[in-house]
Amino acid sequence: MQNTVDRLDKPSSYAMSKNKKRRRNNRDDEEADRAPSPEVEDKLANATTLYVGNLSFYTTEEQIHSLFSTCGEIKRLVMGLDRFNKTPCGFCFVEYYTHQDALDCLKYVGGTKLDERIIRADLDEGFAEGRQYGRGRSGGQVRDEYREEFDPGRGGYGRLVQE
């Protein structure tokens, strides 16, 4: 039976992509590819960290802190950075002290506008050193490398399209 409301405590797309890469060679069926692994589900059951995406490159830490602190006390905020230039590249991690604060934030802040952009928030398994850097070849986010439309909030055209 299909739920009418999406679960808030679902894995982030980042966690799901890591999970798929691990299981790519031993596919059982299509349903298994869409379901998170038990390890990921366990980590998310009490997750206190949010992955926040679709941020403008010009959004400041202070703006993010101001918006996300409306749902609870923030333990740590980690800005996503371009791996080579060390400049913001459109995502961050927000860690709360409690799982309930993180869920409240998903409910009330996820999908709202910040710097004229609709932000995306997902529960995350937790920040680990190194995850603050973009994974694209040019150092930023992969999706920004191939963008064909002009987006002033994310640096204009995609980096590989410009070349």
Side-chain angles (χ1 to χ4, degrees):
M1 178 175 191
Q2 182 73 12
N3 292 333
T4 57
V5 177
D6 287 340
R7 288 177 46 190
L8 291 177
D9 59 347
K10 65 183 184 273
S12 72
S13 54
Y14 178 83
M16 289 297 290
S17 66
K18 277 193 347 185
N19 187 33
K20 277 186 181 178
K21 286 177 188 168
R22 272 190 232 126
R23 292 187 291 121
R24 192 170 280 168
N25 293 332
N26 62 359
R27 293 177 184 238
D28 292 332
D29 59 17
E30 201 172 297
E31 187 64 31
D33 278 345
R34 282 185 264 139
S37 69
E39 302 90 43
V40 171
E41 278 197 355
D42 287 345
K43 288 179 183 178
L44 295 176
N46 294 309
T48 58
T49 303
L50 296 178
Y51 168 87
V52 181
N54 201 37
L55 295 171
S56 167
F57 289 0
Y58 308 105
T59 301
T60 64
E61 245 180 272
E62 290 79 16
Q63 289 173 289
I64 295 166
H65 193 278
S66 176
L67 177 62
F68 283 83
S69 64
T70 60
C71 294
E73 189 177 353
I74 294 175
K75 183 176 183 179
R76 178 169 62 162
L77 182 110
V78 180
M79 293 294 289
L81 301 174
D82 182 292
R83 190 171 0 133
F84 304 120
N85 301 327
K86 307 300 186 254
T87 57
C89 69
F91 69 97
C92 73
F93 295 94
V94 179
E95 186 177 353
Y96 288 95
Y97 284 98
T98 68
H99 178 65
Q100 189 58 51
D101 287 347
L103 288 178
D104 288 345
C105 189
L106 280 178
K107 193 183 316 177
Y108 300 117
V109 178
T112 61
K113 276 191 171 185
L114 179 63
D115 264 357
E116 298 302 315
R117 303 184 67 78
I118 297 174
I119 56 173
R120 191 180 82 242
D122 293 306
L123 275 182
D124 193 80
E125 56 193 41
F127 175 76
E129 190 60 38
R131 287 189 63 200
Q132 74 267 33
Y133 299 114
R135 294 179 287 153
R137 290 189 311 197
S138 63
Q141 289 189 281
V142 174
R143 73 184 200 112
D144 288 321
E145 293 184 339
Y146 299 100
R147 184 182 52 255
E148 293 181 3
E149 69 280 353
F150 186 78
D151 187 346
R154 293 184 71 90
Y157 291 102
R159 290 185 182 172
L160 295 180
V161 172
Q162 289 175 358
E163 293 176 357

